[in-house]
Amino acid sequence: MRAFAHDVVSYPLPPGHRFPLRKYALVRAAAASDPRIALGDARAASWDELGLAHTGPYLERVRAGALSRREELALGLPWSERLVERARRAVGATVQAAEAALADSVAANVGGGTHHAFADSGRGFCVFNDVVVATRLLRRDRPRLRVLVVDLDVHQGDGTHAAFLEDPAAFTLSVNGFRNYPFRRVPGDLEADLGDGTADEEYLDRVDRLLPQAIARARADIAFYLAGADPFAGDRLGRLAVSKAGLAARDRLVRDRLAAAGVPVCVTLAGGYAEPIEDTVDINVESLRAFAA
């Protein structure tokens, strides 16, 4: 399986910041030891490509470091040139992985899943929306491309939902925690909101029941899978209680259902905020390994 990583660029964060920046290099190092995973460096998405999903004024503010204080607080990350470069590479990695998935049936971004970014704003640690950019870029050559987004991050992908709200060729499936960020939701096509403390059995049952419906209704040419590690019981921001074994079973379930339907899949790793960080790394690496199998 081809996978693309953007950890070659880092950026400064204040001490104690919750964003797990160093996990990406750790995941890449672990994935590099698996002979089934062919790792490459991510390219930076161009500003024209980012303009397929974001407004010109927003991109200008990001590029110039002119975000307002309110915008920076909503983003949750301090602006820097290196933040912008890394965010562009995170999008580029999903574009590359989506193109590879269409050729090989499966590929991955060792990161990505930046589903809180809206057309005119970044939010929730997400500067640009990688799945929306990749979808619209792929459609330049494949204008009838149908897309399924399987969002199993614990947080609802409000930015992706907003972008695809009026798009009949894009279908969003979300299984998320109910009492969690974002607190103002954007409707998706098929959703399940889970209560605090939801554990393996109920979690896997919801995914297992909803995924076939989503696949049938989407009739997709490609799926984007957000394999969030944050439903994990030890996640600081998750509020659910899914075990590592449960998340591994989830990944195999998604893999097998999409493969049986003949739908190529671009895997992104999305969120994960466990302490210690090695728990998130373990979950992310097992997600990659499941799809490389």
Side-chain angles (χ1 to χ4, degrees), residues 144-159:
R144 296 186 179 182
L145 186 83
R146 300 185 62 84
V147 167
L148 168 63
V149 180
V150 180
D151 191 336
L152 301 187
D153 189 279
V154 81
H155 306 105
Q156 191 213 47
D158 50 347

Side-chain angles (χ1 to χ4, degrees), residues 1-2 31 33-38 288-290 292-293:
M1 178 182 76
R2 285 188 278 171
S33 66
D34 191 322
R36 301 168 301 174
I37 301 174
L288 294 175
R289 287 173 176 162

Side-chain angles (χ1 to χ4, degrees), residues 25 32 36 60 87 89 97 162 265:
R36 301 168 301 174
E60 289 172 8
R89 287 176 181 267
V265 57

